[in-house]
Amino acid sequence: YECSRKGRDTGPTRTAEHCLNLGLLTAGISSIYNKIFSSDIISTFTLKLPALFTDVITAIIIYLLVTKTTNKKAGLISGSLYLLNPGILYESAVWGKWDSLYIPFVILSIYSLTKNKPNHSLIFITMGLLTKLQAIIFVPLILFLIYKKFNIKRLLSGIVYSLATFILCSLPFIISGKLAVVFDKVWS
C-alpha cells in the first residue's frame, strides 16, 4: 500500500495519520513478536519441538502395536518405557538432536513385515531414509527378512514401490532441478 496517491484519483487514499497508525501498529506487533520469539528459551524449545513430537508419536505407535499383540497394560508400559527412557529424553529434550525423526518409520516398516506386507515395509523404510539417512542401518535387515520370508519376486516388487516412494517424495526437487544440490548436501 502507498500512503499517498500523489494526485491520482484511483483507489483509496491514505492519510498521513492512517499511515502513522499503521506503521506504529506494525512496529508494535513486530516488537512484541521479536521479544517473545527471539528469546533463547522459546527458540530453543521450538527447535526441539519436532524431535519431542516424534518421540511422542513413536511411543503412541509402540503402545498401539503392543496393545494389538498383547494387552493395554503391556502397551502402556512399552510406550512409557520408550518415552521415559533416559537416552531418548536426553537425545531430544536436552541435547535437541533430531535423531528420532526416522524411528516411527523403522518401527512401522518392521511391523508391516509382521503383517506380511513387504511393499509397505519398504515404503516405510524409504520414508525413514528420506527423513534421516541413519535409517540405512536397518535396510539390510529389512531386505534380508523380506527375501527370507517371501520370495525374490515380492522383494523386487517392494523395491519398485520403494523407488516410486523416493521419486514421489523427491518430485519437488526434481521439478525445480535442485535434486543434484540436495544430493551434494547429503553426501558431502
Side-chain angles (χ1 to χ4, degrees):
Y1 278 121
E2 294 178 315
C3 284
S4 78
R5 305 298 281 171
K6 297 184 181 175
R8 290 183 248 154
D9 288 338
T10 59
T13 57
R14 304 282 183 232
T15 64
E17 181 183 339
H18 178 75
C19 287
L20 181 62
N21 289 339
L22 189 60
L24 289 175
L25 179 65
T26 305
I29 291 171
S30 175
S31 175
I32 292 169
Y33 178 84
N34 286 337
K35 283 186 185 347
I36 292 173
F37 291 105
S38 68
S39 75
D40 289 338
I41 294 170
I42 292 186
S43 64
T44 300
F45 176 72
T46 55
L47 287 174
K48 294 177 182 182
L49 202 56
L52 294 170
F53 179 71
T54 305
D55 287 338
V56 170
I57 294 296
T58 304
I60 291 169
I61 291 170
I62 291 170
Y63 165 78
L64 293 172
L65 297 180
V66 172
T67 301
K68 276 187 171 184
T69 57
T70 57
N71 57 39
K72 284 187 177 187
K73 184 177 179 183
L76 186 61
I77 290 171
S78 299
S80 299
L81 284 175
Y82 174 82
L83 195 58
L84 299 175
N85 181 327
I88 299 298
L89 287 172
Y90 185 80
E91 182 83 14
S92 299
V94 177
W95 201 4
K97 291 290 188 173
W98 290 23
D99 291 346
S100 62
L101 291 179
Y102 69 95
I103 297 297
F105 296 114
V106 172
I107 291 172
L108 289 171
S109 176
I110 293 170
Y111 177 72
S112 295
L113 282 180
T114 65
K115 293 297 181 184
N116 296 323
K117 297 181 178 182
N119 293 342
H120 292 128
S121 177
L122 285 172
I123 288 171
F124 283 126
I125 199 67
T126 301
M127 290 169 68
L129 279 168
L130 291 171
T131 305
K132 193 134 173 86
L133 204 52
Q134 288 176 337
I136 201 164
I137 196 165
F138 296 99
V139 171
L141 172 68
I142 300 293
L143 292 175
F144 176 75
L145 291 173
I146 291 172
Y147 175 75
K148 199 75 169 157
K149 190 171 184 178
F150 305 100
N151 55 27
I152 191 75
K153 185 178 176 185
R154 292 291 296 267
L155 176 62
L156 293 175
S157 168
I159 290 173
V160 169
Y161 277 92
S162 179
L163 288 172
T165 302
F166 171 78
I167 291 169
L168 188 63
C169 291
S170 302
L171 207 53
F173 302 105
I174 294 169
I175 292 170
S176 69
K178 303 285 185 192
L179 191 60
V181 174
V182 172
F183 277 125
D184 286 343
K185 297 271 184 203
V186 169
W187 297 107
S188 62

